[in-house]
Coordinates of all heavy atoms in Angstrom, one line a residue:
M19 N -7.8 19.7 -7.0 CA -7.9 18.4 -6.5 C -7.1 18.2 -5.2 O -6.0 17.8 -5.2 CB -7.3 17.4 -7.6 CG -7.5 16.0 -7.3 SD -7.0 15.1 -8.8 CE -7.1 13.5 -8.2
N20 N -7.8 18.5 -4.1 CA -7.2 18.5 -2.8 C -7.9 17.5 -1.9 O -8.2 17.8 -0.8 CB -7.3 19.9 -2.2 CG -5.9 20.5 -2.1 OD1 -4.9 19.9 -2.3 ND2 -5.9 21.8 -1.7
R21 N -8.1 16.3 -2.4 CA -8.7 15.2 -1.5 C -7.7 14.7 -0.6 O -6.5 14.5 -0.9 CB -9.3 14.1 -2.4 CG -10.5 14.6 -3.1 CD -11.1 13.4 -3.9 NE -10.2 13.4 -5.1 CZ -10.4 12.5 -6.1 NH1 -11.3 11.6 -6.0 NH2 -9.6 12.5 -7.1
E22 N -8.1 14.5 0.6 CA -7.2 13.9 1.7 C -7.4 12.4 1.7 O -8.5 11.9 1.7 CB -7.6 14.6 3.0 CG -6.6 14.3 4.1 CD -7.0 15.1 5.3 OE1 -7.2 16.3 5.2 OE2 -7.1 14.5 6.4
V23 N -6.2 11.8 1.9 CA -6.2 10.3 2.1 C -5.9 10.1 3.5 O -4.9 10.6 4.1 CB -5.2 9.6 1.2 CG1 -5.1 8.1 1.5 CG2 -5.5 9.9 -0.3
T24 N -6.8 9.3 4.2 CA -6.6 9.0 5.6 C -6.2 7.6 5.8 O -6.9 6.7 5.2 CB -7.9 9.3 6.4 OG1 -8.3 10.7 6.1 CG2 -7.7 9.1 7.9
L25 N -5.2 7.3 6.6 CA -4.8 6.0 6.9 C -5.2 5.7 8.4 O -4.8 6.4 9.3 CB -3.3 5.8 6.8 CG -2.7 5.8 5.5 CD1 -1.2 5.6 5.6 CD2 -3.3 4.7 4.6
P26 N -6.1 4.7 8.6 CA -6.4 4.3 9.9 C -5.3 3.7 10.7 O -4.6 2.8 10.1 CB -7.6 3.3 9.8 CG -7.5 2.8 8.4 CD -6.8 3.9 7.6
L27 N -5.0 4.2 11.8 CA -3.8 3.7 12.6 C -4.4 2.8 13.7 O -5.4 3.2 14.4 CB -3.0 4.9 13.2 CG -2.4 5.8 12.2 CD1 -1.7 6.9 12.9 CD2 -1.4 5.1 11.3
I28 N -3.7 1.8 14.0 CA -4.1 0.9 15.1 C -2.9 0.8 16.0 O -1.7 0.7 15.6 CB -4.4 -0.5 14.5 CG1 -5.5 -0.5 13.5 CG2 -4.7 -1.5 15.6 CD1 -5.7 -1.7 12.6
V29 N -3.2 0.9 17.3 CA -2.1 0.7 18.3 C -2.2 -0.6 18.9 O -3.3 -1.0 19.4 CB -2.3 1.8 19.4 CG1 -1.2 1.7 20.5 CG2 -2.3 3.2 18.8
D30 N -1.1 -1.4 18.8 CA -1.1 -2.8 19.4 C -1.0 -2.7 20.9 O -0.8 -1.6 21.5 CB -0.1 -3.7 18.7 CG 1.3 -3.3 19.0 OD1 1.6 -2.6 19.9 OD2 2.2 -3.8 18.2
D31 N -0.9 -3.9 21.5 CA -0.9 -3.9 23.0 C 0.5 -3.4 23.6 O 0.6 -3.2 24.8 CB -1.2 -5.3 23.5 CG -0.2 -6.4 22.9 OD1 0.5 -6.1 22.0 OD2 -0.3 -7.5 23.4
R32 N 1.5 -3.3 22.7 CA 2.8 -2.7 23.2 C 2.9 -1.2 22.9 O 3.9 -0.6 23.1 CB 3.9 -3.4 22.5 CG 4.0 -4.9 22.8 CD 5.1 -5.6 22.0 NE 4.9 -5.3 20.6 CZ 4.8 -6.2 19.7 NH1 4.8 -7.5 20.0 NH2 4.6 -5.9 18.4
G33 N 1.8 -0.6 22.3 CA 1.8 0.8 22.0 C 2.4 1.1 20.7 O 2.6 2.3 20.4
T34 N 2.7 0.1 19.9 CA 3.3 0.3 18.6 C 2.2 0.6 17.6 O 1.1 0.0 17.5 CB 4.0 -0.9 18.1 OG1 5.0 -1.2 19.1 CG2 4.7 -0.7 16.8
L35 N 2.4 1.7 16.8 CA 1.4 2.1 15.8 C 1.5 1.1 14.6 O 2.6 0.7 14.1 CB 1.6 3.5 15.2 CG 1.3 4.6 16.2 CD1 1.7 5.9 15.5 CD2 -0.2 4.6 16.5
Q36 N 0.3 0.7 14.1 CA 0.2 -0.2 13.0 C -0.7 0.4 11.9 O -1.6 1.1 12.2 CB -0.4 -1.6 13.4 CG 0.2 -2.2 14.6 CD 1.6 -2.8 14.3 OE1 1.8 -3.3 13.2 NE2 2.5 -2.7 15.2
V37 N -0.4 0.1 10.7 CA -1.2 0.6 9.5 C -1.5 -0.7 8.7 O -0.6 -1.5 8.4 CB -0.5 1.6 8.7 CG1 -1.3 2.0 7.5 CG2 -0.1 2.8 9.5
A38 N -2.7 -0.8 8.3 CA -3.1 -2.0 7.4 C -2.3 -1.9 6.1 O -2.3 -0.9 5.5 CB -4.6 -2.0 7.2
A39 N -1.7 -3.0 5.7 CA -1.0 -3.1 4.4 C -1.9 -2.7 3.2 O -1.4 -2.0 2.3 CB -0.4 -4.4 4.2
A40 N -3.1 -3.1 3.3 CA -4.0 -2.7 2.2 C -4.2 -1.2 2.1 O -4.3 -0.7 1.0 CB -5.4 -3.4 2.4
D41 N -4.2 -0.5 3.2 CA -4.3 0.9 3.2 C -3.0 1.6 2.6 O -3.1 2.6 1.9 CB -4.6 1.5 4.6 CG -5.9 1.1 5.1 OD1 -6.9 0.9 4.3 OD2 -6.1 0.9 6.3
V42 N -1.9 1.0 2.9 CA -0.6 1.5 2.4 C -0.6 1.3 0.9 O -0.2 2.2 0.2 CB 0.6 0.9 3.1 CG1 1.9 1.3 2.4 CG2 0.6 1.2 4.6
S43 N -0.9 0.1 0.5 CA -1.0 -0.2 -1.0 C -1.9 0.8 -1.7 O -1.6 1.4 -2.8 CB -1.4 -1.6 -1.3 OG -0.5 -2.5 -0.8
K44 N -3.1 1.0 -1.1 CA -4.1 1.9 -1.7 C -3.5 3.4 -1.8 O -3.6 4.1 -2.8 CB -5.4 1.9 -0.9 CG -6.4 2.8 -1.5 CD -7.7 2.7 -0.7 CE -8.7 3.7 -1.2 NZ -10.0 3.7 -0.4
L45 N -2.8 3.8 -0.7 CA -2.2 5.1 -0.7 C -1.2 5.3 -1.8 O -1.2 6.3 -2.5 CB -1.6 5.4 0.7 CG -0.8 6.7 0.8 CD1 -1.7 7.9 0.8 CD2 0.0 6.7 2.1
L46 N -0.3 4.3 -1.9 CA 0.7 4.4 -3.0 C 0.1 4.5 -4.4 O 0.5 5.3 -5.2 CB 1.6 3.1 -2.9 CG 2.5 3.0 -1.6 CD1 3.2 1.7 -1.6 CD2 3.5 4.2 -1.5
R47 N -0.9 3.6 -4.6 CA -1.6 3.7 -5.9 C -2.3 5.0 -6.2 O -2.3 5.6 -7.3 CB -2.5 2.5 -6.1 CG -1.7 1.2 -6.2 CD -2.7 0.0 -6.6 NE -1.9 -1.2 -6.7 CZ -1.7 -2.1 -5.8 NH1 -2.2 -1.9 -4.6 NH2 -0.9 -3.2 -6.1
T48 N -3.0 5.5 -5.1 CA -3.7 6.7 -5.2 C -2.8 7.9 -5.5 O -3.1 8.8 -6.3 CB -4.5 7.0 -3.9 OG1 -5.4 5.9 -3.7 CG2 -5.3 8.3 -3.9
L49 N -1.7 7.9 -4.8 CA -0.7 9.0 -5.0 C -0.2 9.0 -6.4 O -0.2 10.1 -7.1 CB 0.5 8.8 -4.0 CG 1.6 9.8 -4.1 CD1 1.1 11.2 -3.8 CD2 2.7 9.4 -3.1
G50 N 0.1 7.9 -7.0 CA 0.6 7.8 -8.4 C -0.5 8.3 -9.3 O -0.3 9.0 -10.3
G51 N -1.8 7.8 -9.0 CA -2.9 8.2 -9.9 C -3.1 9.7 -9.8 O -3.4 10.3 -10.9
R52 N -3.0 10.3 -8.7 CA -3.2 11.8 -8.6 C -2.1 12.5 -9.3 O -2.4 13.5 -9.9 CB -3.2 12.2 -7.1 CG -4.5 11.7 -6.5 CD -4.7 12.2 -5.1 NE -5.9 11.7 -4.5 CZ -6.3 11.9 -3.3 NH1 -5.5 12.6 -2.5 NH2 -7.4 11.5 -2.8
W53 N -0.9 12.0 -9.2 CA 0.2 12.7 -10.0 C -0.1 12.6 -11.5 O 0.1 13.6 -12.2 CB 1.5 12.0 -9.7 CG 2.2 12.3 -8.4 CD1 1.8 13.3 -7.5 CD2 3.2 11.6 -7.8 NE1 2.6 13.2 -6.4 CE2 3.5 12.2 -6.6 CE3 4.0 10.5 -8.2 CZ2 4.5 11.7 -5.7 CZ3 5.0 10.0 -7.4 CH2 5.3 10.6 -6.1
L54 N -0.5 11.5 -12.0 CA -0.8 11.4 -13.4 C -2.0 12.3 -13.8 O -1.9 12.9 -14.8 CB -1.2 9.9 -13.7 CG -0.1 8.9 -13.7 CD1 -0.6 7.5 -14.0 CD2 1.0 9.3 -14.8
H55 N -3.0 12.4 -12.9 CA -4.1 13.3 -13.2 C -3.6 14.7 -13.3 O -4.0 15.5 -14.2 CB -5.2 13.2 -12.1 CG -6.3 14.1 -12.3 ND1 -7.3 13.9 -13.3 CD2 -6.7 15.2 -11.7 CE1 -8.1 14.9 -13.3 NE2 -7.8 15.7 -12.3
L56 N -2.7 15.1 -12.4 CA -2.1 16.5 -12.5 C -1.4 16.7 -13.8 O -1.5 17.8 -14.4 CB -1.2 16.7 -11.2 CG -1.9 16.9 -9.9 CD1 -0.9 16.9 -8.8 CD2 -2.8 18.1 -9.8
V57 N -0.6 15.7 -14.2 CA 0.1 15.9 -15.5 C -0.9 16.0 -16.6 O -0.7 16.9 -17.5 CB 1.1 14.7 -15.7 CG1 1.6 14.7 -17.1 CG2 2.2 14.7 -14.7
E58 N -1.9 15.2 -16.6 CA -2.9 15.2 -17.7 C -3.6 16.6 -17.7 O -4.1 17.1 -18.7 CB -3.9 14.1 -17.5 CG -3.3 12.7 -17.8 CD -4.2 11.6 -17.4 OE1 -5.2 11.8 -16.8 OE2 -3.7 10.4 -17.7
A59 N -3.8 17.2 -16.5 CA -4.5 18.5 -16.4 C -3.6 19.6 -16.7 O -4.0 20.8 -16.7 CB -5.0 18.6 -15.0
G60 N -2.3 19.3 -17.1 CA -1.4 20.4 -17.5 C -0.7 21.2 -16.3 O -0.3 22.3 -16.5
E61 N -0.6 20.5 -15.2 CA 0.0 21.2 -14.0 C 1.4 21.6 -14.3 O 2.2 20.7 -14.9 CB 0.0 20.2 -12.8 CG 0.5 20.8 -11.5 CD -0.4 21.8 -10.9 OE1 -1.6 21.7 -11.1 OE2 0.1 22.6 -10.1
D62 N 1.8 22.8 -14.0 CA 3.1 23.3 -14.3 C 4.1 22.6 -13.4 O 3.8 22.3 -12.2 CB 3.2 24.8 -14.1 CG 2.5 25.6 -15.2 OD1 2.4 25.0 -16.3 OD2 2.1 26.7 -15.0
G63 N 5.3 22.4 -13.9 CA 6.4 21.9 -13.1 C 6.5 20.4 -12.9 O 7.4 19.9 -12.2
L64 N 5.6 19.7 -13.6 CA 5.6 18.2 -13.5 C 6.1 17.6 -14.8 O 5.5 17.9 -15.8 CB 4.3 17.7 -13.1 CG 3.7 18.0 -11.7 CD1 2.3 17.5 -11.5 CD2 4.7 17.5 -10.6
D65 N 7.1 16.9 -14.8 CA 7.6 16.2 -16.0 C 6.9 14.9 -16.2 O 6.9 14.1 -15.3 CB 9.1 15.9 -15.9 CG 9.7 15.2 -17.1 OD1 9.8 15.9 -18.1 OD2 10.0 14.0 -16.9
E66 N 6.3 14.8 -17.3 CA 5.4 13.6 -17.6 C 6.2 12.3 -17.5 O 5.7 11.3 -16.9 CB 4.8 13.8 -19.0 CG 3.8 12.7 -19.3 CD 3.1 12.9 -20.7 OE1 3.3 14.0 -21.3 OE2 2.4 12.0 -21.1
D67 N 7.4 12.2 -18.1 CA 8.1 11.0 -18.0 C 8.5 10.6 -16.6 O 8.5 9.5 -16.2 CB 9.4 11.1 -18.9 CG 9.1 11.2 -20.4 OD1 8.0 10.7 -20.7 OD2 9.9 11.7 -21.1
T68 N 8.9 11.6 -15.8 CA 9.3 11.4 -14.4 C 8.1 10.9 -13.6 O 8.2 10.0 -12.8 CB 9.9 12.7 -13.8 OG1 11.0 13.1 -14.5 CG2 10.3 12.4 -12.3
V69 N 7.0 11.6 -13.8 CA 5.7 11.2 -13.0 C 5.3 9.8 -13.4 O 5.0 9.0 -12.6 CB 4.6 12.2 -13.3 CG1 3.3 11.7 -12.8 CG2 4.9 13.5 -12.6
A70 N 5.4 9.5 -14.7 CA 5.1 8.1 -15.2 C 6.0 7.1 -14.5 O 5.5 6.0 -14.0 CB 5.1 8.0 -16.7
A71 N 7.3 7.4 -14.5 CA 8.2 6.4 -13.9 C 8.0 6.3 -12.4 O 8.0 5.1 -11.9 CB 9.7 6.9 -14.1
L72 N 7.8 7.4 -11.7 CA 7.5 7.3 -10.3 C 6.2 6.5 -10.0 O 6.1 5.7 -9.0 CB 7.4 8.7 -9.7 CG 8.8 9.4 -9.6 CD1 8.5 10.9 -9.2 CD2 9.7 8.7 -8.6
T73 N 5.2 6.8 -10.8 CA 3.9 6.1 -10.6 C 4.1 4.6 -10.8 O 3.5 3.8 -10.0 CB 2.9 6.7 -11.6 OG1 2.7 8.1 -11.3 CG2 1.5 6.0 -11.5
I74 N 4.8 4.2 -11.8 CA 5.1 2.8 -12.0 C 5.8 2.2 -10.8 O 5.5 1.1 -10.4 CB 5.9 2.6 -13.3 CG1 5.0 2.9 -14.5 CG2 6.5 1.2 -13.4 CD1 5.8 3.0 -15.8
E75 N 6.8 2.9 -10.3 CA 7.5 2.3 -9.1 C 6.7 2.2 -7.9 O 6.8 1.3 -7.1 CB 8.8 3.2 -8.9 CG 9.8 3.1 -9.9 CD 10.3 1.6 -10.3 OE1 10.5 0.9 -9.3 OE2 10.3 1.3 -11.4
L76 N 5.8 3.2 -7.7 CA 4.8 3.2 -6.6 C 3.9 2.0 -6.7 O 3.6 1.3 -5.7 CB 4.0 4.5 -6.5 CG 4.8 5.7 -6.0 CD1 3.9 6.9 -6.0 CD2 5.3 5.5 -4.6
A77 N 3.4 1.7 -7.9 CA 2.6 0.6 -8.2 C 3.3 -0.7 -7.9 O 2.7 -1.7 -7.4 CB 2.0 0.6 -9.6
K78 N 4.6 -0.8 -8.3 CA 5.4 -2.0 -8.1 C 5.5 -2.3 -6.6 O 5.5 -3.4 -6.1 CB 6.7 -1.9 -8.8 CG 6.7 -2.0 -10.3 CD 8.2 -1.9 -10.8 CE 8.3 -1.9 -12.3 NZ 9.7 -1.7 -12.7
L79 N 5.8 -1.2 -5.9 CA 5.9 -1.3 -4.4 C 4.6 -1.8 -3.8 O 4.6 -2.7 -2.9 CB 6.4 0.0 -3.8 CG 6.5 0.1 -2.3 CD1 7.5 -1.0 -1.8 CD2 7.0 1.5 -1.9
A80 N 3.5 -1.2 -4.2 CA 2.2 -1.6 -3.7 C 2.0 -3.1 -4.0 O 1.5 -3.9 -3.2 CB 1.1 -0.8 -4.3
D81 N 2.4 -3.5 -5.2 CA 2.2 -5.0 -5.6 C 3.1 -5.9 -4.7 O 2.6 -6.9 -4.3 CB 2.6 -5.2 -7.1 CG 1.6 -4.6 -8.1 OD1 0.5 -4.3 -7.7 OD2 2.0 -4.5 -9.3
R82 N 4.3 -5.4 -4.4 CA 5.2 -6.2 -3.6 C 4.6 -6.3 -2.1 O 4.7 -7.4 -1.5 CB 6.6 -5.6 -3.5 CG 7.4 -5.9 -4.8 CD 8.9 -5.7 -4.7 NE 9.2 -4.4 -4.1 CZ 9.5 -3.3 -4.7 NH1 9.4 -3.3 -6.1 NH2 9.9 -2.2 -4.1
I83 N 4.0 -5.3 -1.7 CA 3.4 -5.3 -0.3 C 2.2 -6.3 -0.4 O 2.1 -7.1 0.5 CB 2.9 -3.9 0.1 CG1 4.1 -3.0 0.4 CG2 2.0 -3.9 1.3 CD1 3.8 -1.5 0.5
D84 N 1.4 -6.2 -1.4 CA 0.2 -7.1 -1.5 C 0.7 -8.6 -1.5 O 0.1 -9.4 -0.9 CB -0.6 -6.8 -2.8 CG -1.3 -5.4 -2.7 OD1 -1.4 -4.9 -1.5 OD2 -1.7 -4.9 -3.7
V85 N 1.7 -8.8 -2.4 CA 2.2 -10.2 -2.5 C 2.7 -10.7 -1.2 O 2.5 -11.9 -0.7 CB 3.2 -10.3 -3.6 CG1 4.0 -11.7 -3.6 CG2 2.6 -10.1 -5.0
A86 N 3.5 -9.9 -0.5 CA 4.1 -10.3 0.8 C 3.0 -10.6 1.8 O 3.1 -11.5 2.6 CB 5.0 -9.2 1.3
C87 N 1.9 -9.8 1.8 CA 0.8 -10.0 2.8 C 0.0 -11.2 2.4 O -0.4 -12.0 3.3 CB -0.1 -8.8 2.8 SG 0.7 -7.3 3.6
I88 N -0.2 -11.5 1.1 CA -0.9 -12.7 0.8 C 0.0 -13.9 1.2 O -0.6 -14.9 1.7 CB -1.1 -12.7 -0.8 CG1 -2.2 -11.7 -1.1 CG2 -1.6 -14.1 -1.3 CD1 -2.3 -11.3 -2.6
A89 N 1.3 -13.9 0.9 CA 2.1 -15.0 1.3 C 2.1 -15.2 2.8 O 2.0 -16.3 3.3 CB 3.6 -14.7 0.8
H90 N 2.2 -14.1 3.6 CA 2.1 -14.2 5.0 C 0.8 -14.8 5.5 O 0.8 -15.7 6.4 CB 2.3 -12.8 5.6 CG 2.2 -12.8 7.1 ND1 3.2 -13.3 7.9 CD2 1.2 -12.3 7.9 CE1 2.8 -13.1 9.2 NE2 1.6 -12.5 9.2
S91 N -0.3 -14.3 4.9 CA -1.6 -14.8 5.3 C -1.7 -16.3 5.0 O -2.3 -17.1 5.7 CB -2.7 -14.1 4.6 OG -2.7 -12.7 5.1
S92 N -1.2 -16.7 3.8 CA -1.2 -18.1 3.4 C -0.4 -19.0 4.4 O -0.8 -20.1 4.7 CB -0.7 -18.3 2.0 OG -1.5 -17.6 1.1
R93 N 0.8 -18.5 4.8 CA 1.6 -19.3 5.7 C 0.9 -19.4 7.0 O 0.9 -20.5 7.6 CB 3.0 -18.6 5.9 CG 3.9 -18.8 4.8 CD 5.3 -18.4 5.1 NE 5.4 -17.0 5.5 CZ 5.6 -16.0 4.7 NH1 5.7 -16.2 3.4 NH2 5.7 -14.7 5.2
R94 N 0.2 -18.3 7.5 CA -0.5 -18.4 8.8 C -1.6 -19.4 8.7 O -1.8 -20.2 9.6 CB -1.0 -17.0 9.2 CG 0.1 -16.1 9.7 CD -0.5 -14.8 10.1 NE -1.6 -15.1 11.1 CZ -2.0 -14.2 12.0 NH1 -1.5 -13.0 12.0 NH2 -2.9 -14.5 12.9
Q95 N -2.4 -19.4 7.6 CA -3.5 -20.3 7.4 C -3.0 -21.7 7.3 O -3.6 -22.6 7.9 CB -4.3 -19.9 6.1 CG -5.5 -20.7 5.9 CD -6.5 -20.6 7.1 OE1 -6.7 -19.4 7.5 NE2 -7.1 -21.6 7.6
D96 N -1.9 -22.0 6.6 CA -1.3 -23.3 6.5 C -0.9 -23.8 7.9 O -1.1 -24.9 8.2 CB -0.1 -23.3 5.5 CG -0.5 -23.2 4.1 OD1 -1.7 -23.3 3.8 OD2 0.4 -22.9 3.3
S97 N -0.3 -22.9 8.6 CA 0.1 -23.3 10.0 C -1.1 -23.6 10.9 O -1.0 -24.6 11.7 CB 0.9 -22.1 10.6 OG 1.3 -22.4 11.9
Q98 N -2.1 -22.9 10.7 CA -3.3 -23.2 11.5 C -4.0 -24.4 11.1 O -4.6 -25.1 11.9 CB -4.3 -22.0 11.4 CG -3.8 -20.8 12.1 CD -4.7 -19.6 11.9 OE1 -5.6 -19.6 11.0 NE2 -4.5 -18.5 12.7
D99 N -4.0 -24.8 9.8 CA -4.6 -26.0 9.3 C -3.8 -27.3 9.5 O -4.4 -28.3 9.5 CB -4.9 -25.8 7.8 CG -5.9 -24.8 7.5 OD1 -6.7 -24.4 8.4 OD2 -6.0 -24.3 6.3
S100 N -2.5 -27.1 9.7 CA -1.7 -28.3 9.8 C -1.6 -28.8 11.3 O -1.8 -28.0 12.2 CB -0.3 -28.1 9.3 OG 0.4 -27.1 10.2
P101 N -1.4 -30.1 11.5 CA -1.2 -30.7 12.8 C 0.0 -29.9 13.5 O 1.0 -29.6 12.9 CB -0.8 -32.1 12.6 CG -1.3 -32.4 11.2 CD -1.3 -31.2 10.5
G102 N -0.3 -29.6 14.8 CA 0.8 -28.9 15.5 C 0.7 -27.4 15.2 O 1.6 -26.6 15.6
G103 N -0.3 -26.9 14.5 CA -0.5 -25.5 14.2 C -0.9 -24.7 15.4 O -0.9 -25.2 16.5
W104 N -1.4 -23.6 15.2 CA -1.7 -22.6 16.2 C -2.9 -23.1 17.1 O -2.9 -22.9 18.3 CB -2.2 -21.3 15.7 CG -1.0 -20.6 15.0 CD1 0.2 -21.1 14.7 CD2 -1.0 -19.2 14.6 NE1 0.9 -20.1 14.1 CE2 0.2 -19.0 14.0 CE3 -1.9 -18.2 14.7 CZ2 0.6 -17.8 13.5 CZ3 -1.6 -17.0 14.1 CH2 -0.3 -16.8 13.6
D105 N -3.8 -23.9 16.5 CA -5.0 -24.3 17.3 C -4.8 -25.6 18.0 O -5.7 -26.2 18.6 CB -6.2 -24.4 16.4 CG -6.6 -23.0 15.9 OD1 -6.4 -22.0 16.6 OD2 -7.2 -23.0 14.8
S106 N -3.6 -26.2 17.9 CA -3.4 -27.5 18.5 C -3.0 -27.4 19.9 O -2.4 -26.5 20.4 CB -2.3 -28.3 17.8 OG -2.7 -28.5 16.4

């Protein structure tokens, strides 16, 4: 199981590299899922409890990223919809 995960990188106008948060969340969840698959397949050297704990923590981190992005998007939308917002 050697599938490659590719993250599209975006360079902003200042030359700073950006990665979409959805891609980072997906990467974290995919990594955990692959580890679990390796454990289930009997891969040597992987402790089932450790992999499970790490996978849970990766999923929690992905969830926090998703929640932060939803909150950020909601604030931006509220700001644009309110008087004195971005479009005023």
